[in-house]
Amino acid sequence: EVARIKNEHPDDSKCIVNDRVKGRLKVTRAFGAGFLKKPKLNEALLEMFRNEYIGDAPYLSCTPSLRHHRLCPRDQFLVLSSDGLYQYLSNQEVVCHVENFMEKFPDGDPAQHLIEELLFRAAKKAGMDLHELLDIPQGDRRKYHDDVTVMVVSLEGRIWKSSGKYL
């Protein structure tokens, strides 16, 4: 994705800054964020929020990136989530947490478990305990973690969805 954006914006040395599109968004594909898709939508923003939009090519795309996977007997679940989950957990950590949780708590909610693990890690990174983090008002808490939605779909028919009762 980074290579694609840099290729489409060869005259913009700041198209990716700190692993973020124009230094602002971690995601490179989104339904919203029109200001990074069309120069005229960027120009409509208040000056302090505008980006230096170089060229006419969009920085973001809403075209999905698809990967086909033929299910096999060892496949157990599918995790769908917003990018905030991956600020604190790798793909492999997500898989391990869901596998372990489903094994120990077959009637539990693995989506909520992932949210709780993320919050625990965000608090630890900020040098506080979980309860201190949860006491911070939601809007102010964005300094410590992104908003997150997680859905875990069991390939045996169960679905768990959580945007976090704490978020």
Side-chain angles (χ1 to χ4, degrees):
E1 287 294 302
V2 169
R4 175 185 63 80
I5 292 170
K6 286 182 175 183
N7 199 29
E8 292 174 356
H9 296 276
D11 297 330
D12 188 351
S13 63
K14 296 181 180 176
C15 60
I16 303 291
V17 177
N18 296 327
D19 294 327
R20 294 178 175 269
V21 177
K22 295 301 279 180
R24 309 237 350 233
L25 288 179
K26 185 91 171 163
V27 297
T28 57
R29 295 175 187 258
F31 291 118
F35 65 97
L36 289 171
K37 293 178 182 172
K38 294 184 178 182
K40 72 177 184 179
L41 295 176
N42 182 55
E43 292 163 10
L45 294 174
L46 291 173
E47 188 172 341
M48 64 188 289
F49 296 114
R50 286 186 201 139
N51 292 288
E52 183 182 6
Y53 205 109
I54 299 174
D56 291 325
Y59 288 91
L60 293 185
S61 169
C62 61
T63 303
S65 173
L66 300 176
R67 179 174 172 230
H68 295 271
H69 172 78
R70 186 175 303 279
L71 294 177
C72 61
R74 71 174 202 265
D75 293 330
Q76 300 172 330
F77 54 85
L78 172 69
V79 177
L80 302 168
S81 73
S82 56
D83 65 313
L85 180 65
Y86 301 100
Q87 286 180 302
Y88 290 97
L89 290 102
S90 69
N91 287 340
Q92 190 57 49
E93 287 175 311
V94 168
V95 169
C96 288
H97 272 280
V98 172
E99 283 178 337
N100 291 336
F101 185 85
M102 289 174 72
E103 186 176 304
K104 291 178 184 173
F105 307 101
D107 294 326
D109 182 345
Q112 185 62 38
H113 172 70
L114 289 172
I115 298 273
E116 290 167 359
E117 179 63 25
L118 173 146
L119 291 171
F120 174 77
R121 290 181 184 203
K124 185 176 178 181
K125 182 178 178 184
M128 59 180 87
D129 69 28
L130 179 61
H131 297 291
E132 289 174 295
L133 179 68
L134 297 178
D135 286 341
I136 298 171
Q138 286 182 346
D140 295 336
R141 217 179 321 141
R142 290 290 305 259
K143 297 172 190 164
Y144 302 100
H145 65 82
D146 199 358
D147 57 339
V148 180
T149 298
V150 178
M151 182 182 292
V152 178
V153 179
S154 164
L155 298 179
E156 297 171 351
R158 288 193 66 190
I159 298 174
W160 301 269
K161 179 180 181 285
S162 183
S163 57
K165 60 184 173 188
Y166 307 114
L167 300 174

